[in-house]
Amino acid sequence: MSDAPREQATEVPGEPPAEPGTHLRVAVVLLVAASGAVETISFTALDHVFAGVMTSNLALLGMAVGRAQATGVTAAVLALAGFGLGAAGTARCARRQEGTATHWSRPVLLCLAGEALLLAAGAVVWAVLGGAPGRAARDVLQFGAALTMGIQSGAMVAAGRAAAPTTYLTGTLATYIVKGVGAGRPNRWVPVRLAALIAGAAACMAVLRTAPDWAGLLPPVLVVSALLSAGAPANRSRRAAPGGE
């Protein structure tokens, strides 16, 4: 049997490639802010590893091995495993989709919805435990946080030109400096994404300090907001269609 038809881009030969709409760029910014919030909880309130920055976690794993620190090794391995599983699962879900610059495909949106549900479940567990989980709960939450960041990273790869990195921005910053500022063609959305990472982390840290039970709520709210932004044109089209509400 043949594969299911792939989603095709709607570009016209000879015309400049389509650019993502503002609604998609805003959705990416919101996802970056969500990743900043998740990293804050992961690094400061769990076991001092990152949920979405696996390069750093590999270095942290090496340092933990060098110090013979079992807790650090466990945390880094859990983060690496969770991220890998999330990214692999998303790749399987979206494997027959070709990214376009105009919208996020249904599988991408479903994966991000799954991420939001997992983050919401983690927020409930965090609140029930009073923002102070024990050893076993921290391990579960660490794995879950990395799982969500793996899903988000995989979804942005599957979205192709309609998206951008949201969990690891070192390459984004380097490209912006070399090919943007250095070449006189800076992308104004890159500083916005970098600022969103800082803002998401700062906001989550403020909640951790003042109302730790509620710190887990910010990431799922931001991901849901990103989904609403990404689907805004489709929702408007349905309302405008004859017979629409």
Side-chain angles (χ1 to χ4, degrees), residues 232-245:
N235 293 333
R236 285 197 296 268
S237 297
R238 281 194 292 268
R239 287 195 297 268
E245 297 181 358

Side-chain angles (χ1 to χ4, degrees), residues 94-201:
R95 69 186 183 278
R96 292 197 177 106
Q97 301 294 320
E98 289 183 359
T100 74
T102 58
H103 66 281
W104 291 352
S105 67
R106 181 181 176 86
V108 167
L109 294 173
L110 287 175
C111 288
L112 291 173
E115 177 197 0
L117 289 174
L118 287 171
L119 287 170
V124 170
V125 172
W126 182 268
V128 168
L129 296 176
R135 171 78 269 153
R138 285 204 305 275
D139 286 347
V140 173
L141 289 169
Q142 186 69 74
F143 181 85
L147 179 68
T148 64
M149 292 297 95
I151 293 172
Q152 188 179 122
S153 294
M156 292 298 93
V157 171
R161 289 168 295 152
T166 58
T167 61
Y168 179 63
L169 302 185
T170 301
T172 298
L173 178 59
T175 301
Y176 176 73
I177 293 171
V178 175
K179 295 186 177 181
V181 176
R185 297 189 300 272
N187 182 338
R188 64 188 176 91
W189 284 99
V190 172
V192 175
R193 293 202 297 272
L194 295 173
L197 185 67
I198 297 170

Side-chain angles (χ1 to χ4, degrees), residues 196-226:
L197 185 67
I198 297 170
C204 192
M205 192 70 243
V207 178
L208 274 172
R209 292 180 58 194
T210 58
D213 292 10
W214 298 99
L217 187 61
L218 183 58
V221 167
L222 288 168
V223 173
V224 170
S225 299

Side-chain angles (χ1 to χ4, degrees), residues 34-58:
S35 72
V38 172
E39 296 295 12
T40 298
I41 295 173
S42 177
F43 193 82
T44 66
L46 294 176
D47 286 314
H48 301 289
V49 296
F50 296 98
V53 187
M54 294 303 109
T55 305
S56 294
N57 284 343
L58 289 169

